[in-house]
Amino acid sequence: MEIIKTKIPDLLIIKPKVFEDERGYFFESYNEEIFNQKNLNLSFVQDNESKSGYGVIRGLHYQLAPYSQTKLVRVIEGKVYDVAVDLREGSPTYGQWSGIELSADNKIQFLIPKGFAHGFSVLSESATFIYKCDNFYNPEAERGISFNDPFLNINWRIEPEKAIISPKDKVYPNFKEAEKNFKYSK
């Protein structure tokens, strides 16, 4: 398992070692021992799955502290463009975002720590998206940022007229107005 830093050092790409032969393939998607060796001491408590069609944009979502979540995300069918935005006040990358293409073919995972908003767009006909969380869902702590915030200027790789957005995601505030309570610590 290879762990790769992104332009935002705390966002990590997890590239599993895939064993393939004529029968198919096998890989470990998560190994607590390896994560602990890399000082990624996480205790996942919930797994989630969603399926969406082409053009769906989900996000940008997060939960306020102390209910914030670290997420380990991946795609098991199809292809998405996955995005995380740094919401940690005092961070050298505050307000910056990083995106990566995740697919069933590349098997890459994205580790998104607490203090980040998360979202994705579906680039294939459909996509099944799964993720582990280290904290439970808490509806009272749920917040969001507008997917089309001009300050963030995220290119979701979907033509605007083909984007499918939930009513809830359409009314989230922009980055600067969104409620955030995360502090950066080295």
Side-chain angles (χ1 to χ4, degrees):
M1 188 176 290
E2 185 180 2
I3 299 177
I4 304 161
K5 291 185 178 185
T6 66
K7 69 179 184 177
I8 300 175
D10 298 322
L11 288 174
L12 301 174
I13 296 166
I14 311 296
K15 198 170 182 184
K17 186 172 185 179
V18 180
F19 300 92
E20 294 186 76
D21 62 23
E22 64 278 355
R23 300 169 297 164
Y25 68 85
F26 170 85
F27 70 93
E28 289 182 345
S29 60
Y30 174 72
N31 181 310
E32 184 178 273
E33 192 172 89
I34 292 172
F35 273 54
N36 288 344
Q37 289 170 2
K38 303 286 187 178
N39 293 318
L40 300 171
N41 304 309
L42 302 166
S43 178
F44 293 114
V45 297
Q46 182 175 322
D47 283 5
N48 299 319
E49 179 175 319
S50 70
K51 183 166 183 142
S52 305
Y54 174 80
V56 168
I57 299 174
R58 293 184 183 261
L60 296 157
H61 304 143
Y62 60 97
Q63 291 186 174
L64 296 172
Y67 304 102
S68 52
Q69 298 173 312
T70 295
K71 297 177 181 177
L72 179 61
V73 305
R74 68 187 178 110
V75 170
I76 58 171
E77 177 257 326
K79 178 170 55 173
V80 306
Y81 186 62
D82 202 74
V83 172
V85 180
D86 190 347
L87 305 180
R88 302 165 302 164
E89 187 179 311
S91 166
T93 55
Y94 178 75
Q96 294 180 32
W97 62 273
S98 183
I100 185 169
E101 191 173 288
L102 305 176
S103 72
D105 291 336
N106 71 20
K107 298 171 186 45
I108 290 172
Q109 300 177 87
F110 204 21
L111 183 67
I112 303 163
K114 292 175 164 100
F116 283 77
H118 172 253
F120 65 89
S121 59
V122 179
L123 305 178
S124 52
E125 185 177 326
S126 68
T128 303
F129 186 88
I130 63 172
Y131 56 103
K132 297 181 160 311
C133 301
D134 72 344
N135 206 349
F136 295 105
Y137 172 68
N138 183 303
E140 289 79 33
E142 182 180 23
R143 299 293 186 276
I145 296 171
S146 177
F147 72 97
N148 62 354
D149 180 345
F151 170 75
L152 296 174
N153 195 29
I154 297 170
N155 176 358
W156 292 100
R157 301 181 180 179
I158 299 291
E159 296 171 37
E161 65 276 3
K162 293 184 178 176
I164 302 167
I165 316 295
S166 76
K168 181 175 77 171
D169 288 356
K170 285 181 180 177
V171 298
Y172 279 135
N174 285 335
F175 177 84
K176 292 177 181 174
E177 290 80 37
E179 182 182 2
K180 306 178 270 304
N181 68 350
F182 308 106
K183 302 291 183 211
Y184 175 73
S185 63
K186 292 183 181 181

